[in-house]
Amino acid sequence: MTSLANEIHTPPSVEPAHLSVMVQETLQALSPVEGGSFIDCNVGEGGHTEAILSSVRSSRVLGIDLDYDALARASERLSRWSGQLTLHHGNFADLYKIADSYHHLPVSGVLFDLGLSSAQLDIPDRGFSFRHKGELDMRFDQNAGISAHEIVNRWPGDRLESIIYELGEEPRAGRVARSIVRNRPIDTTIELANVVIRALNWPTYSRIHPATRTFQAIRMAVNEEKENLESGLEDAVQALKPGGRIVVISYHSIEDRMVKNFIRRSSASCICPTSIPECVCDSIPTLTPINKRVIRPSISETQENPRARSARMRVAERI
């Protein structure tokens, strides 16, 4: 675990490149009160944290992120609240341990914004976008873990097919995986995107780029996003005080389904299989859902920020 107090090298002053999604809905969901403490698990460039710190006096926020560049921008943007803000370079899968190390427990709210930032997508060398030529990286933390280049060029075809199907929900994952193996070495994002386009023979007029699902799958595998979200949600419940809220903004069906099922399990008085006629689990609910239906951004927001179109919010409260 690493505190950013002495490690962030603040860049020159710039306007935020990323528009945070559903800011007002987030504030309404968290219901911040004076003196409350919060964890922003994907602080990014600080938009949601800024809204929390601006909305009530003497609130505190612990902002966690794996991206050093994002933390640097957040540090500059939020400098006026330095006494109420702690920024930490780390993985939200360990959020309970991180928060405990800063004596930041229990908390009034935990926010997960699981989307990529505009800066990550628009910088070619980060390797997240199939629209810009860059290295096949895709790591949130560019100093750790395996890169997309290693997955694309070294993983066996059956393993590639598995992640493209499971994490990208690509129905023709086998065809894509075989094409990737056949065209190795693949060194850039554009090369990979073109391999997928040829494999799928996708029509040029399609609204969704044919490489979308494959890039999503590889990025999720690189950053172990599914495993980290599972751990982070469990830690969030432990970190919340009674009445505290967990708010999750997801951007595709895999994440949203995980969050929905987690809240459902955590709010159930019985989690026994349906084949068992009588409850034997002695499950104790820890959460109660606040919204029965998923919350989506307003029409005006999606018009201003088209990247918000796929956002879905779910909210639950600690019992």
Side-chain angles (χ1 to χ4, degrees):
M1 295 184 298
T2 308
S3 170
L4 269 289
N6 298 315
E7 295 194 21
I8 286 182
H9 302 286
T10 305
S13 178
V14 290
E15 287 297 316
H18 178 70
L19 292 175
S20 296
V21 172
M22 302 176 75
V23 173
Q24 292 307 313
E25 292 88 344
T26 298
L27 286 178
Q28 184 177 356
L30 287 173
S31 299
V33 295
E34 188 170 338
S37 59
F38 302 87
I39 302 175
D40 187 343
C41 294
N42 317 73
V43 70
E45 296 184 31
H48 288 113
T49 289
E50 181 178 50
I52 294 168
L53 293 170
S54 299
S55 65
V56 290
R57 292 183 299 174
S58 67
S59 56
R60 295 188 303 141
V61 176
L62 167 62
I64 303 171
D65 210 293
L66 278 167
D67 190 325
Y68 270 113
D69 292 340
L71 286 167
R73 295 175 71 94
S75 178
E76 179 197 15
R77 179 176 185 173
L78 304 171
S79 59
R80 76 186 80 170
W81 293 285
S82 58
Q84 300 163 244
L85 173 68
T86 302
L87 293 177
H88 180 93
H89 177 257
N91 193 324
F92 64 59
D94 303 314
L95 75 85
Y96 188 91
K97 186 185 299 184
I98 295 169
D100 189 45
S101 71
Y102 292 111
H103 307 290
H104 201 84
L105 295 172
V107 297
S108 309
V110 179
L111 169 65
F112 295 85
D113 179 357
L114 303 175
L116 292 172
S117 73
S118 297
Q120 288 169 327
L121 285 168
D122 294 340
I123 298 175
D125 286 344
R126 298 302 302 269
F128 289 110
S129 175
F130 42 75
R131 301 186 187 282
H132 307 292
K133 183 177 180 180
E135 297 179 6
L136 279 171
D137 193 323
M138 300 194 194
R139 291 173 297 173
F140 295 140
D141 181 353
Q142 293 185 286
N143 297 316
I146 63 171
S147 69
H149 189 276
E150 182 171 344
I151 288 177
V152 167
N153 288 287
R154 295 187 181 180
W155 280 20
D158 58 348
R159 194 175 179 189
L160 277 174
E161 179 180 353
S162 177
I163 65 163
I164 294 170
Y165 181 76
E166 293 175 11
L167 300 180
E169 299 184 315
E170 171 55 69
R172 291 181 284 179
R175 183 181 296 184
V176 173
R178 290 190 294 273
S179 184
I180 289 173
V181 171
R182 192 165 54 246
N183 284 278
R184 288 169 172 169
I186 301 171
D187 296 318
T188 70
T189 52
I190 294 297
E191 288 177 42
L192 176 60
N194 287 336
V195 166
V196 177
I197 290 170
R198 292 194 298 270
L200 297 179
N201 192 27
W202 207 269
T204 56
Y205 55 81
S206 174
R207 185 176 64 86
I208 300 175
H209 192 287
T212 300
R213 296 186 180 98
T214 298
F215 270 64
Q216 173 184 300
I218 294 171
R219 188 204 75 223
M220 290 183 71
V222 165
N223 296 289
E224 299 181 332
E225 292 178 41
K226 191 173 179 181
E227 298 82 356
N228 290 336
L229 180 56
E230 289 172 351
S231 298
L233 291 171
E234 294 283 357
D235 270 21
V237 174
Q238 294 185 54
L240 284 171
K241 63 177 64 173
R245 290 187 173 184
I246 177 172
V247 178
V248 187
I249 305 172
S250 58
Y251 295 83
H252 56 75
S253 58
I254 295 174
E255 292 172 339
D256 182 58
R257 190 160 53 243
M258 287 178 64
V259 177
K260 179 182 178 180
N261 290 338
F262 177 80
I263 294 174
R264 179 181 294 164
R265 289 194 309 271
S266 301
S267 59
S269 56
C270 175
I271 56 174
C272 292
T274 55
S275 58
I276 298 177
E278 186 175 341
C279 178
V280 294
C281 68
D282 296 322
S283 175
I284 300 175
T286 54
L287 293 175
T288 182
I290 297 301
N291 59 309
K292 293 184 178 180
R293 294 186 177 182
V294 69
I295 302 170
R296 294 184 179 273
S298 65
I299 294 175
S300 60
E301 178 172 5
T302 57
Q303 289 174 341
E304 180 183 356
N305 179 17
R307 284 176 174 168
R309 281 193 304 258
S310 59
R312 312 168 192 186
M313 176 187 287
R314 294 190 185 272
V315 186
E317 186 171 290
R318 183 73 159 92
I319 296 173

